[in-house]
Amino acid sequence: MMKRIFLAAIIATFAAGSAFAQETCESKAVGKDGKPLAGAAKTSFLKKCKADACAPKAVGSDGKPLVGAAKSSFMKKCETSA
């Protein structure tokens, strides 16, 4: 019985964590008045949001930040999947 309760608690923890982590750039695209952004403002916001989300991940296997063509390639790939 104790194993079932423990297993249920673990599953609930992971389910709640993934639900909170699904806030995307698209869902953050809201103006100061609370209305969704549209047009050029939305495009600009999404571009900046995706770049900001990918920049900390641009690290090589040696732990150093990527530079040059490697960084450009990584950022392009990351931003398309974000």
Side-chain angles (χ1 to χ4, degrees):
M1 182 67 176
M2 191 66 153
K3 287 181 183 179
R4 287 184 183 176
I5 294 172
F6 183 69
L7 182 62
I10 290 175
I11 291 172
T13 302
F14 286 120
S18 65
F20 290 122
Q22 290 182 355
E23 187 174 3
T24 62
C25 289
E26 193 75 35
S27 66
K28 294 179 187 176
V30 179
K32 292 180 182 177
D33 57 358
K35 295 180 182 177
L37 295 176
K42 183 177 181 180
T43 304
S44 175
F45 177 82
L46 290 176
K47 184 176 180 182
K48 183 180 182 317
C49 180
K50 289 179 181 181
D52 290 346
C54 291
K57 299 176 188 174
V59 179
S61 60
D62 57 355
K64 295 181 181 177
L66 296 175
V67 292
K71 184 175 182 177
S72 300
S73 175
F74 175 83
M75 291 296 285
K76 184 175 180 182
K77 182 180 176 185
C78 180
E79 289 172 3
T80 57
S81 66

